[in-house]
Amino acid sequence: QVQLVESGGGLVQAGGSLRLSCAASGRTFNLGRMGWFRQAPGKEREFVGDIRRSEGSTNYIDSVRGRFRISRDNAKNTVYLQMNSLKPEDTAVYYCAADSSNRGAYDLWGQGTQVTVSS
């Protein structure tokens, strides 16, 4: 089994930056895509962006493109979400997810880390 643990959340003022980390442990040899999702109070969880563990290619939703950047360090089995120019609407619990067997669907989730952006 593979476990994902997010860290790096906190309270930041609008315009500030945070970097979230997602560390994978256990059987990580067949990990495929790794992605970031977020869920604000009263709203459904939404996709933010993801990265292919092999090629390193990324994609993002329009609302974060240009502000957020996903990167990975495969040697450390860790992915990062660098968040710049944060806005209050970015406030949410952020979750790391993974395609644990590289079959094209997310099936593994972390516990989440809170990001709060104040005005």
Side-chain angles (χ1 to χ4, degrees):
Q1 58 183 3
V2 182
Q3 292 180 301
L4 303 177
V5 179
E6 303 96 334
S7 62
L11 175 64
V12 64
Q13 292 187 6
S17 298
L18 285 173
R19 188 178 75 160
L20 307 184
S21 298
C22 175
S25 62
R27 187 180 177 274
T28 62
F29 299 99
N30 293 321
L31 284 176
R33 293 178 301 153
M34 297 190 69
W36 290 95
F37 294 73
R38 65 186 181 185
Q39 186 168 23
K43 296 185 177 181
E44 294 185 347
R45 187 175 299 181
E46 69 169 341
F47 173 79
V48 176
D50 64 7
I51 186 168
R52 289 187 177 273
R53 296 274 285 121
S54 55
E55 298 90 356
S57 58
T58 58
N59 71 99
Y60 307 90
I61 57 173
D62 289 342
S63 62
V64 307
R65 187 174 293 109
R67 299 189 298 121
F68 292 8
R69 183 173 179 83
I70 299 172
S71 60
R72 87 275 194 258
D73 185 339
N74 288 346
K76 297 181 178 180
N77 289 315
T78 301
V79 296
Y80 305 93
L81 178 63
Q82 178 66 47
M83 303 183 292
N84 300 319
S85 301
L86 282 162
K87 304 175 180 179
E89 55 261 41
D90 295 319
T91 296
V93 176
Y94 283 71
Y95 297 89
C96 180
D99 177 0
S100 65
S101 58
N102 196 20
R103 296 184 183 274
Y106 292 111
D107 58 6
L108 183 66
W109 298 83
Q111 297 298 307
T113 185
Q114 176 72 47
V115 172
T116 303
V117 184
S118 62
S119 299

